[in-house]
Structure formats: structure tokens, C-alpha cells
Amino acid sequence: MFGTSIHWTTFFYLLIDMVIVLLTFYFSRRNTRSSLRRFLYLGILFIAYNATGGFLPVDNFPGPLILQYIITYGVAIALCVYIVYYLYKEYDIVVLKFNSSIKNLAFLASGSYVVLFLMPYFLTDSLDAARFLFTIPISLIAFIFLIIFYRRISNPSNPNAFILRRNKLSMVSVASIALLPICTVIGDYQWITFTVMNLAFFAITAIEVDRYLYFLENNTRMYEVFALKKKQREESVERKIIYEDLTRREIEVALSILSNLSYKKIAVELFIAESTVSKHASNIFKKTGVKNRREFLKRFRKKR
């Protein structure tokens, strides 16, 4: 298309991603406390991935051909690392246990690219050989991570349907990352590679839409927590979510506390450590002006 190597499917995904980002930006402007900044960054990275991977390489690009592959691979690596970072920060899904795991993951991916792709390319002057040497070990690492991730979040006995949907969609995102190296080594089939990767963005978008609907469904239970001003309480008929200073993850934990669940039970339902629940709860209590869990329930839990 347009005299470039971009496939119509890639261009279609590029347009969809741009629409999602623009709608998210509009929504975040109207709701200044909706904490959608990370999602916006994710969407922008997907737009950059579709644009660079779709339009490059081109013949009239200034500089050597390898520079274009450095750009496309660099954006793809940054995107994959950011997806993992997003899952960590937004949903507390921690898989890697070693210190500064996200930074180490970024160093591992970029270091592997230099050692396993750039160096073989300059030594052999063969793009296919460099691609093969880079993608095979990265594929093995990615699938090991996928297996660990699955074991970390799989819990069929969990009754919380909202969290189960989230974890299944998160698996789609991580599986897309794991499949990317394989799609790359197969060849330059954009309709396969970009379909696989954009599934990750669509899955995370579905998670965020589901989360918003979950908040709407539980808006009445949380309203007393959010409506700290008398005027806001009087306007409760509008049934709008007021985020105040609580993060979206803290809202989820607060809803569980209002259901009188123990921290241990909340940890099981949200697939996180009990210490993480305690940390979120401490932040919730500080932001809502109470000293502990008992005061929080006494002040905000609806009397039957």
C-alpha cells in the first residue's frame, strides 16, 4: 500500500489502535483521575510498532538498511517489555522474582539483540542468519516465561469471574509476546505477525473496558468512599465514578474489603501476595482518612 511494504491488515490495525488511543485520551481528559496514562503509553507504542514494522524497510530511507531493522526491532522489544511492565503495575501480576525484574528483562532483551542479531549480521552480512540466531533462543525464553506466567495466575477454583476474565485476557497478551519471535523467523508475513501482536493490545483494551464496567456495577457500594464532599453525595443520582486519589487497583481492593473479605482471601481472588493486599489497604486507609480496616468498614460499609 502507498508504494511501501505495509500490508492492508497492518494499516487496518494501525487505524484501530489510533482510534482506541484517541478515545482513551478523550476519556482521560474528561476524567482527570482515571489513571489511564499507562494505557495511553501502551497504545502509542502499538501505533509506533505498526507504523515502523509496516512501512519499513523502504528504499529511500537515509542510511544503511540495518538502521531500519534496528528501529523496527527496537520498537518491538520496547513494546514487549512494556506489556510485561503494564501487567505488573496495573494488575500486580508478578512472575519474575529477581530484583528489578523489568529492568533486567529490558537489559536481557536489548543485550540479546546486540549479541545475537547485530553481531552475527555484521559478521555474516546475512539478515536471515542473524534473524534465526536471535529469534530461536528468545522464543525459548519467551515460552518459559509464558509457562511460568500461566502457573502464576491459574486458579480454576477462584469464584471472582471479573479476575478470571482478566487473567485469561492477560494470557492472550503474554502468548502474543511469546509467539512474536516465531512469527518473525517464519518470514515477513505481516498479516500473521501483526495480527498476533495486536491481539495483545485488543486483549488489554478488553480488560480495561471490563474493569470500567465492573466499577460501574459497584459504583453504589463505592460511592460513599469517593464522595467525600457533601455536594458530591447530593449528586449521587448521576451515578458517575469519582476516582478521587484512589488508583484503579486500590478501588478493586477497596471493593473486596467492603465485601468483608480477609486479606488472605483477597490475595487469592486477585492472584496477588497477601503483603501486596496489605500495602494497597494501607494506602486506601490513608487516602480515605481512616486509621485501619475496622474504621474503614464502619465508615463506608452500607448497613443492611
Side-chain angles (χ1 to χ4, degrees), residues 58-76:
V58 292
D59 295 332
N60 57 352
F61 191 88
L65 177 64
I66 188 61
L67 180 60
Q68 299 187 57
Y69 282 98
I70 290 175
I71 294 172
T72 56
Y73 275 71
V75 172

Side-chain angles (χ1 to χ4, degrees), residues 246-288:
L246 295 181
T247 67
R248 293 181 294 168
R249 190 53 156 166
E250 287 167 357
I251 294 172
E252 294 172 9
V253 173
L255 284 170
S256 298
I257 294 174
L258 289 173
S259 296
N260 209 26
L261 298 179
S262 66
Y263 289 173
K264 184 176 182 179
K265 182 64 175 177
I266 295 172
V268 172
E269 288 212 342
L270 300 184
F271 292 89
I272 58 179
E274 191 172 345
S275 59
T276 305
V277 176
S278 180
K279 180 181 177 182
H280 284 310
S282 178
N283 291 335
I284 292 166
F285 301 154
K286 288 179 183 178
K287 291 176 180 180
T288 53

Side-chain angles (χ1 to χ4, degrees), residues 16-28 40 47:
I16 292 178
D17 294 350
M18 290 177 67
V19 169
I20 292 173
V21 168
L22 289 173
L23 287 175
T24 304
F25 181 74
Y26 173 75
F27 181 82
S28 63
L40 279 171
I47 290 173

Side-chain angles (χ1 to χ4, degrees), residues 100-120:
S100 303
S101 56
I102 299 298
K103 289 182 180 179
N104 289 341
L105 180 62
F107 286 135
L108 175 64
S110 56
S112 298
Y113 178 64
V114 172
V115 175
L116 300 175
F117 184 86
L118 291 181
M119 290 179 63

Side-chain angles (χ1 to χ4, degrees), residues 138-295:
I138 291 297
S139 296
L140 292 175
I141 294 173
F143 272 98
I144 291 172
F145 180 81
L146 178 62
I147 293 170
I148 297 173
F149 185 86
Y150 174 75
R151 289 179 178 177
R152 172 68 182 84
I153 69 171
S154 59
N155 185 0
S157 62
N158 183 26
N160 193 326
F162 166 65
I163 301 300
L164 283 177
R165 288 194 301 270
R166 166 187 294 172
N167 289 338
K168 289 177 181 177
L169 290 167
S170 297
M171 276 297 301
V172 173
S173 299
V174 177
S176 298
I177 298 174
L179 289 171
L180 178 59
I182 294 177
C183 293
T184 303
V185 79
I186 289 174
D188 293 324
Y189 299 105
Q190 285 192 28
W191 66 274
I192 297 177
T193 305
F194 286 83
T195 298
V196 168
M197 276 307 293
N198 280 275
L199 276 176
F201 185 48
F202 299 151
I204 292 176
T205 302
I207 291 173
E208 294 303 335
V209 172
D210 193 37
R211 174 191 251 175
Y212 178 72
L213 294 176
Y214 177 72
F215 287 172
L216 284 179
E217 182 183 346
N218 291 276
N219 188 44
T220 302
R221 292 172 60 204
M222 284 295 293
Y223 190 81
E224 290 298 323
V225 179
F226 299 138
L228 301 179
K229 299 177 183 178
K230 183 178 179 181
K231 182 180 179 181
Q232 292 172 338
R233 286 197 297 270
E234 291 173 350
E235 294 174 353
S236 61
V237 69
E238 296 181 11
R239 296 191 55 77
K240 60 182 179 179
I241 293 180
I242 302 172
Y243 284 87
E244 289 298 330
D245 291 326
L246 295 181
T247 67
R248 293 181 294 168
R249 190 53 156 166
E250 287 167 357
I251 294 172
E252 294 172 9
V253 173
L255 284 170
S256 298
I257 294 174
L258 289 173
S259 296
N260 209 26
L261 298 179
S262 66
Y263 289 173
K264 184 176 182 179
K265 182 64 175 177
I266 295 172
V268 172
E269 288 212 342
L270 300 184
F271 292 89
I272 58 179
E274 191 172 345
S275 59
T276 305
V277 176
S278 180
K279 180 181 177 182
H280 284 310
S282 178
N283 291 335
I284 292 166
F285 301 154
K286 288 179 183 178
K287 291 176 180 180
T288 53
V290 299
K291 293 181 180 179
N292 51 42
R293 175 192 175 101
R294 195 168 93 177
E295 280 192 21

Side-chain angles (χ1 to χ4, degrees), residues 87-107:
L87 296 175
Y88 270 49
K89 298 298 289 187
E90 287 296 317
Y91 314 136
D92 291 322
I93 301 176
V94 179
V95 178
L96 305 175
K97 298 298 183 181
F98 49 90
N99 294 331
S100 303
S101 56
I102 299 298
K103 289 182 180 179
N104 289 341
L105 180 62
F107 286 135

